[in-house]
Amino acid sequence: MKAVAAGAASPAPFFDERSGLGRDADVRSRPAHGGLQQGDTPGLYGGTDEAAICDVEQLKRYLAEPRNGRKARAWAGALDLRTDGIPEYLDGLTPVLLRHDTLVRNHDYEKGKAVPFDALLQAGIAILVDEQGMPAVKCSCGNPLRPFEGDKNRISVSFDDGNEQWKGYDRSEVVVVRPASHELERIALVDVEDPDRGIERPVGTTGEEDTAFDTRRRQAVPSLIGTTFGEASRRLAGRGLAVAYDGEGVPPDGARVTASDPAAGAELRFGTHVTLSVVKDGSPAGGGTAPPDPESSRPTTGPASPSSPSSPPAPSAPSSGPSRSERPASPSGTPEAPSTPADSAPPPPPGTSSGPPPSTRSAPPETPGTASAPPRATPPPPTGGPASGAPATSVPATPEAPTTSAPAERPRRTPE
């Protein structure tokens, strides 16, 4: 495992790091809640309001030059691309700054080939991320990046080749990024020079369409009991809140949420983690055995959504919404729809087959698996994207859009 320090030159880069392809920043690694972070986690990445930290157009030109043809083929092969697909691929990437020391699969360029190696990238390194929030390119040298597949708890980091151990390095705070369950429309960043300022950056743009927001503005935790893990993650991300979970490994999207800590209604600052407890003993759609009734935590003392204070309006999301979902079985931006968990839930009480609790009862339902959202008797939380406040990193503002199958149209960069 090689350490890669911010600002340090690579011994075998794809492109000369003095060519101005990217510029790292001085960022102290932030503590992370657990080692795995999903690519749509609010505040996972940082940014700045200065000039673009990655020159994507220049990288595109380098890879298109005939004299770099062999290098372009190696670069594309490392990312499972065809060379003629490089321009479109680069147009979909977004420049960010790492806020955590992050494990990746890096690549050097040696003897005409991309040579992979596991690497620990220091916080402050500028990278390009893809439409699921995954590291894709190291900006300063153009090296392609792939996901780290090893065990982060068994890494042995080698600090050499000019990459001396940096101040603040803490092995327990190293992060591994896992893809968001669907394509993102926007990424909510934290200004690395002013943590009270957030930056909302549309995917596929380099900063020219950024909008700012106040990271100190608090948002209420929505009611999540009975929803799927994937749906709960999107609701939290839509309010600028991060997801944590009990146990090791990311739960399946269809795992049913039985509790959240803090509970619904708690008001938290942007990027704060909410720990979810889930039932993982069933199928990806939610399991075949009902967990103990969690609805005792239902927010009857006060609604989760209306209590949240207003915040700077987020920019409008593209009308088409996400272009596709990586896990069609889980809800995507439509948290009120109970079809996914209800289909796999145990038989409901007599008189109802699915949907909301039986009309003959006024008490909390005894089978939480019959709905994926809180009972209709209380105002349901807002669906998909943020109701007001911190911007959505993963859920578009128009939740009906996930039924669209055509790729979402995003602004493309214009070569300078």
Side-chain angles (χ1 to χ4, degrees):
M1 171 74 61
K2 296 182 181 179
V4 179
S10 171
F14 267 74
F15 297 102
D16 188 342
E17 298 191 65
R18 296 169 298 180
S19 62
L21 279 175
R23 184 181 70 258
D24 297 337
D26 183 12
V27 177
R28 180 72 176 267
S29 181
R30 306 288 300 174
H33 194 293
L36 299 179
Q37 297 287 315
Q38 296 188 102
D40 59 348
T41 300
L44 173 62
Y45 299 120
T48 176
D49 60 354
E50 295 180 0
I53 56 175
C54 298
D55 193 335
V56 181
E57 291 302 322
Q58 184 176 345
L59 177 59
K60 193 188 301 184
R61 288 194 298 272
Y62 280 179
L63 290 168
E65 291 179 3
R67 63 188 178 92
N68 290 328
R70 189 178 182 185
K71 189 173 293 187
R73 288 190 293 274
W75 191 93
L79 295 170
D80 293 332
L81 299 172
R82 292 168 53 96
T83 53
D84 58 4
I86 290 176
E88 182 179 3
Y89 177 75
L90 288 173
D91 281 340
L93 302 184
T94 310
V96 300
L97 292 168
L98 293 177
R99 295 185 73 221
H100 308 274
D101 295 342
T102 304
L103 292 171
V104 297
R105 186 77 162 164
N106 199 354
H107 296 78
D108 277 339
Y109 182 71
E110 298 178 359
K111 298 180 180 180
K113 296 182 179 180
V115 180
F117 64 95
D118 289 332
L120 175 65
L121 303 186
Q122 184 185 8
I125 287 179
I127 65 170
L128 295 170
V129 297
D130 67 15
E131 294 171 337
Q132 290 180 290
M134 293 297 295
V137 179
K138 186 174 180 290
C139 291
S140 64
C141 57
N143 288 5
L145 305 175
R146 296 299 298 267
F148 174 76
E149 300 294 347
D151 183 348
K152 72 171 289 292
N153 297 315
R154 297 182 178 181
I155 62 172
S156 177
V157 181
S158 174
F159 292 91
D160 53 20
D161 293 329
N163 297 281
E164 291 80 12
Q165 181 167 323
W166 47 82
K167 184 178 180 181
Y169 168 69
D170 186 338
R171 175 174 168 171
S172 66
E173 295 179 359
V174 169
V175 160
V176 175
V177 182
R178 291 291 179 252
S181 62
H182 63 292
E183 290 187 359
L184 312 181
E185 292 294 333
R186 302 171 300 279
I187 299 178
L189 313 173
V190 172
D191 190 327
V192 296
E193 298 174 353
D194 181 7
D196 290 339
R197 178 179 179 268
I199 301 170
E200 187 175 62
R201 179 166 296 167
V203 168
T205 64
T206 58
E208 65 276 7
E209 299 181 31
D210 288 356
T211 54
F213 63 92
D214 189 347
T215 62
R216 297 169 297 182
R217 189 68 60 88
R218 294 178 177 270
Q219 290 290 325
V221 176
S223 179
L224 302 171
I225 296 174
T227 65
T228 63
F229 177 79
E231 179 185 344
S233 299
R234 288 186 286 272
R235 286 192 186 184
L236 289 171
R239 298 191 178 202
L241 302 178
V243 176
Y245 36 85
D246 290 334
E248 297 182 0
V250 180
D253 267 13
R256 188 178 301 123
V257 175
T258 59
S260 69
D261 182 20
E267 295 188 350
L268 307 175
R269 179 175 167 144
F270 173 83
T272 303
H273 282 79
V274 176
T275 301
L276 301 179
S277 299
V278 301
V279 173
K280 294 184 287 187
D281 59 350
S283 67
T289 58
D293 184 6
E295 290 297 316
S296 58
S297 301
R298 190 171 33 161
T300 56
T301 57
S305 170
S307 64
S308 62
S310 60
S311 65
S316 300
S319 59
S320 59
S323 61
R324 64 178 180 269
S325 172
E326 291 296 314
R327 295 185 173 93
S330 65
S332 178
T334 54
E336 296 306 313
S339 58
T340 301
D343 290 343
S344 59
T352 181
S353 58
S354 63
S359 59
T360 57
R361 292 178 179 268
S362 59
E366 297 182 358
T367 55
T370 59
S372 65
R376 305 289 183 179
T378 57
T383 64
S388 62
T393 62
S394 61
V395 185
T398 55
E400 296 80 4
T403 57
T404 303
S405 59
E409 187 173 315
R410 295 192 176 89
R412 296 301 184 188
R413 304 185 181 93
T414 302
E416 298 179 357

